[in-house]
């Protein structure tokens, strides 16, 4: 789970804007080498971008991490999107949409004549086939990997009575009617996420997209749809992908929206931050995300562009509250008081990073100024452990390797700093590391990690995307049950369509969450995107919803 960013506090969540009918014109817009000078293609028509990890798969239904979603955004389209650089809803495959009075029935009017890159029609039947596919995931591995479906719609067809999704009907070739089991104010904004990208039903079947084995913690994608044949309708298509090296996209010359100027996009996997910076300086790449704090000014001094993505994220230490010793709230509070967040931010984060005190960023409606807080206080942490009956509890502390996230540029450094803080107050820490692209997030989502480092980049401008994702319903990652007061409040907020009332419910939910301490949020981070000065048209997006068909390379 992943998914960065700054908005005016006056901005109302885009989910509520979606309750109004919207009508507008659609506005979607063999390996080559590591840059345009290597292999086929003109250097001026190739953009080389460095990622911190490989994608898990290019099937959006099965991922929630940013490194997978970045190329998926280029290959596929969604029903609705956001205006570049904002959280404001905009048309994509659906040129207009409208809910009924109850917000249970949503009618989408599709663009005409759109085709997938395999030549099949992207029509209402194709859209409904995707909804029915997501709803019909059966195996535990599929259902765990389909994190966003479970988050937005609660459950799958095998537990249909608990699901937000009821049906999808193609009333004609360009009209889709999605029916929900209850009104939802956040449904429409969720449809902007790449996890709800519309894929070719023909390709999904042909390339066995739903042959998923393994376990919920380690799903194995046996078909070739997600790694060789991801067929969408977006501005780019997959040419090749060599794991651990690079992924190459080529322009879709038949794209129905804004066609790309670039002929190729190459996404190189460079896990080490220093190596990414050096690759930019040497001209091997044209840009990357999440420059290290110490690299920002030196890169500026060398003439590179440093674009800023406003803070719309949160990093946190999470607890699985069903695992000892975190079933005891005194122990969770002790961790919260033991962590020296300010020292970590000063040492490891860029200017503009803010200490977090709750699980939503302060620019989001529903942020509460008066949540319970847990200031750095080692003496208080020791006292709480003593009260718990075990002044020296042993804790297994998980952290990811081979990755850099906007909210966590150097996971190992964060782990080491927090480990020292915890040991200073009496905890015995057992380190547990796992590569990011080997199932770290799915392992956490399955509830295996007692304590862990993770974070979240917002996917859409609504509190539901943060605390609804984390704490609504049964959430094994945190050991939260659907019978909790947190879920009760979040359910009420999700169906409330009055913006003012909804904001107040979310404030109450944030107070309840921080009273319970299911984790310790510690930072909201501004992202820095270093680019070669020849790169033009790159629009930093608060939701990391950057599409590369806006980019040009000027020599």
């Amino acid at each position: 789970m992943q998914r960065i960013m700054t908005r005016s506090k006056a901005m109302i969540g885009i989910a509520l804007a979606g309750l109004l009918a919207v009508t507008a014109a659609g506005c979607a817009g063999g390996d080559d080498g590591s840059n345009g000078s290597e292999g086929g293609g003109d250097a001026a028509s190739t953009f080389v971008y460095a990622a911190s990890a490989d994608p898990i798969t290019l099937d959006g239904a099965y991922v929630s991490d940013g490194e997978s979603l970045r190329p998926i955004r280029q290959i596929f389209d969604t029903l609705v999107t956001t205006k570049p650089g904002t959280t404001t809803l905009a048309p994509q495959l659906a040129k207009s949409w409208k809910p009924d009075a109850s917000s249970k029935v949503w009618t989408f009017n599709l663009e005409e004549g759109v085709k997938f890159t395999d030549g099949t029609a992207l029509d209402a039947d194709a859209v409904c086939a995707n909804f029915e596919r997501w709803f019909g995931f059966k195996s535990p591995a599929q259902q765990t990997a389909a994190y966003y479906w479970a988050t937005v719609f609660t459950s799958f067809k095998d537990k249909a009575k608990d699901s937000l999704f009821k049906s999808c009907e193609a009333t004609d070739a360009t009209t889709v009617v999605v029916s929900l089991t209850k009104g939802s104010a956040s449904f429409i904004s969720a449809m902007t996420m790449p996890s709800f990208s519309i894929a070719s039903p023909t390709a999904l079947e042909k390339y066995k997209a739903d042959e998923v084995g393994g376990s919920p913690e380690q799903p194995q994608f046996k078909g070739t749809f997600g790694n060789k044949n991801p067929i969408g309708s977006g501005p780019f298509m997959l040419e090749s992908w060599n794991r651990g090296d690079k992924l190459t996209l080529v322009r879709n010359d038949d794209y129905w929206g804004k066609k790309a100027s670039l002929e190729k996009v190459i996404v190189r996997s460079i896990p080490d931050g220093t190596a990414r910076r050096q690759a930019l300086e040497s001209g091997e790449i044209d840009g990357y995300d999440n420059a290290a704090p110490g690299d920002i000014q030196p890169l500026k001094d060398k003439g590179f562009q440093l674009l800023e993505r406003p803070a719309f994220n949160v990093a946190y230490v999470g607890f699985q509250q069903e695992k000892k010793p975190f079933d005891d709230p005194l122990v969770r509070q002790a961790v919260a008081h033991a962590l020296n967040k300010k020292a970590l931010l000063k040492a490891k984060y860029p200017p503009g990073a803010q200490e977090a005190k709750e699980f939503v960023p302060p620019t989001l409606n529903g942020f509460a100024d008066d949540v319970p807080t847990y200031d750095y206080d080692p003496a208080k942490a020791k006292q709480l452990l003593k009260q718990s009956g075990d002044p020296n509890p042993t804790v297994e502390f998980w952290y990811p390797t081979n990755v850099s996230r906007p909210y966590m540029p150097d996971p190992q450094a964060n782990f080491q700093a927090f480990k020292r803080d915890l040991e200073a107050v009496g905890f015995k820490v057992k380190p547990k590391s796992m590569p990011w692209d080997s199932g770290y997030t799915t392992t956490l989502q399955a509830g295996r990690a007692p304590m862990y480092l993770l974070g979240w980049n917002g996917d859409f401008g609504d509190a539901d995307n943060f605390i609804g994702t984390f704490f609504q319903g049964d959430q094994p990652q945190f050991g939260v049950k659907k019978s909790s007061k947190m879920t009760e409040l979040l359910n009420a907020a999700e169906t409330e369509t009055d913006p003012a009332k909804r904001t107040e419910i979310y404030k109450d939910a944030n107070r309840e969450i921080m009273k319970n301490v299911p984790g310790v949020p510690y930072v909201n981070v501004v992202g820095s995107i270093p680019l070669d000065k020849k790169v033009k048209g790159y629009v930093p997006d608060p939701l990391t919803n950057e599409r590369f068909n806006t980019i040009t390379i000027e020599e």
Side-chain angles (χ1 to χ4, degrees):
M1 12 184 227
Q2 293 16 302
R3 320 358 182 210
I4 331 201
M5 324 169 200
T6 304
R7 295 172 301 162
S8 162
K9 195 154 186 172
M11 178 175 287
I12 296 174
I14 64 175
L16 298 176
L19 294 175
L20 302 175
V22 178
T23 304
C27 57
D31 291 341
D32 53 86
S34 61
N35 62 22
S37 62
E38 301 178 14
D42 180 356
S45 63
T46 300
F47 176 60
V48 186
Y49 191 89
S52 66
D54 269 323
I56 295 168
T57 174
L58 297 176
D59 186 342
Y62 292 133
V63 294
S64 61
D65 69 293
E67 301 300 3
S68 298
L69 295 174
R70 181 180 291 112
I72 288 169
R73 284 185 179 94
Q74 318 308 323
I75 298 170
F76 296 89
D77 292 315
T78 47
L79 286 175
V80 293
T81 187
T82 53
K83 293 181 180 178
T86 78
T87 57
T88 303
L89 284 174
Q92 197 161 83
L93 292 173
K95 58 185 178 182
S96 66
W97 59 90
K98 185 178 182 179
D100 70 354
S102 69
S103 295
K104 291 183 181 180
V105 180
W106 293 78
T107 301
F108 297 88
N109 297 306
L110 304 181
E111 291 283 351
E112 297 179 9
V114 178
K115 291 185 180 298
F116 295 107
T117 55
D118 62 0
T120 59
L122 199 166
D123 56 13
D125 285 331
V127 171
C128 284
N130 277 263
F131 273 94
E132 294 296 341
R133 176 205 179 206
W134 304 325
F135 186 44
F137 288 155
K138 295 177 181 178
S139 73
Q142 277 185 305
Q143 292 186 355
T144 300
Y147 183 79
Y148 278 123
W149 178 273
T151 297
V152 174
F153 294 99
T154 306
S155 60
F156 299 84
K157 195 171 186 177
D158 58 355
K159 295 182 180 177
K161 63 181 178 64
D162 298 325
S163 180
L164 176 65
F165 179 76
K166 182 178 181 181
S167 66
C168 182
E169 180 184 3
T171 58
D172 60 41
T174 59
T175 306
V176 174
V177 179
V178 177
S179 297
L180 308 177
T181 56
K182 61 182 179 180
S184 173
S186 59
F187 161 75
I188 188 63
S189 54
M191 292 300 97
T192 66
M193 293 191 292
S195 291
F196 299 113
S197 295
I198 304 301
S200 163
T202 301
L204 289 167
E205 181 177 359
K206 180 178 180 179
Y207 300 114
K208 299 177 172 51
D210 294 330
E211 288 193 5
V212 181
S215 65
E217 297 86 357
Q218 294 278 353
Q220 297 175 359
F221 305 105
K222 297 181 177 181
T224 62
F225 180 86
N227 56 43
K228 292 183 179 179
N229 307 105
I231 305 299
S233 61
F236 293 93
M237 304 178 291
L238 180 67
E239 180 179 79
S240 61
W241 179 13
N242 296 324
R243 283 189 178 272
D245 183 14
K246 62 193 172 192
L247 180 153
T248 302
L249 304 175
V250 294
R251 182 173 60 213
N252 175 10
D253 287 326
D254 297 322
Y255 185 49
W256 63 274
K258 176 180 171 54
K259 291 180 174 59
S261 296
L262 299 170
E263 291 182 7
K264 290 192 176 186
V265 172
I266 299 172
V267 182
R268 290 189 54 193
S269 177
I270 306 179
D272 181 71
T274 300
R276 288 195 297 275
R277 187 204 73 225
Q278 291 171 342
L280 178 65
E281 292 172 331
S282 69
E284 295 175 47
I285 65 172
D286 298 315
Y288 65 97
D289 208 348
N290 309 320
D295 291 340
I296 293 174
Q297 192 57 50
L299 285 170
K300 286 183 178 179
D301 292 342
K302 291 180 179 179
F304 291 100
Q305 303 179 70
L306 266 294
L307 306 186
E308 204 170 82
R309 178 183 290 117
F312 195 54
N313 54 26
V314 63
Y316 60 86
V317 175
F319 306 125
Q320 214 293 354
Q321 298 171 86
E322 295 176 309
K323 294 184 180 292
K324 292 185 178 298
F326 300 110
D327 58 338
D328 187 340
L330 294 174
V331 175
R332 301 197 298 269
Q333 292 171 25
V335 173
H337 283 295
L339 301 182
N340 191 345
K341 298 184 284 186
K342 284 186 172 64
L344 178 65
L345 267 61
K346 184 177 181 180
K348 294 295 179 180
Y349 282 86
Q354 303 172 351
E355 183 177 347
K357 63 178 184 179
E358 56 198 274
F359 282 90
V360 298
T363 52
L364 195 58
N365 285 340
F367 179 88
D369 288 320
D370 57 350
V371 296
T373 55
Y374 304 88
D375 294 335
Y376 176 56
D377 189 339
K380 179 70 172 177
K382 291 178 182 179
Q383 178 189 345
L384 289 164
L385 288 180
K386 186 175 181 180
Q387 286 178 243
S388 77
D390 185 356
N392 303 109
T394 298
V395 296
E396 187 176 85
F397 191 0
W398 288 53
Y399 67 96
T401 58
N402 297 337
V403 72
S404 175
R405 303 301 296 134
Y407 50 76
M408 190 169 54
D410 187 346
Q412 186 171 7
N414 289 16
F415 168 79
Q416 293 293 350
F418 285 156
K419 178 176 180 286
R420 288 192 295 270
D421 293 340
L422 293 167
E423 290 174 339
V425 301
F427 285 97
K428 298 176 183 176
V429 178
K430 293 175 60 178
K432 179 74 173 180
S433 64
M434 185 177 186
W436 181 267
D437 59 0
S438 294
Y440 182 77
T441 58
T442 52
T443 298
L444 267 53
Q445 289 161 12
R448 281 186 52 193
M451 180 167 71
Y452 51 88
L453 289 179
L454 200 58
W456 188 258
N457 296 317
D459 300 298
F460 55 90
D462 193 287
D464 180 70
N465 183 231
F466 282 83
I467 52 179
T469 297
F470 302 150
F471 306 119
Q472 189 174 7
D474 290 330
Q475 296 288 350
Q477 179 181 322
F478 290 95
V480 170
K481 298 297 184 184
K482 64 183 178 182
S483 57
S484 69
K485 186 177 179 182
M486 290 184 287
T487 288
E488 179 184 339
L489 288 165
L490 292 168
N491 285 343
E494 184 180 11
T495 57
E496 177 58 64
T497 58
D498 180 276
K501 292 179 181 178
R502 196 162 183 261
T503 294
E504 289 306 313
I505 297 172
Y506 276 128
K507 286 183 178 180
D508 286 342
N510 277 309
R511 296 179 187 109
E512 177 65 21
I513 290 163
M514 293 314 299
K515 175 183 174 183
N516 186 62
V517 202
V520 184
Y522 60 91
V523 68
N524 307 119
V525 188
V526 172
S528 294
I529 306 168
L531 298 170
D532 191 283
K533 61 184 178 182
K534 67 186 178 185
V535 178
K536 308 297 180 184
Y538 191 110
V539 183
D541 190 273
L543 308 173
T544 62
N545 197 24
E546 292 109 357
R547 273 198 144 183
F548 296 159
N549 59 332
T550 65
I551 292 175
T552 59
I553 304 294
E554 298 181 4
E555 293 291 356

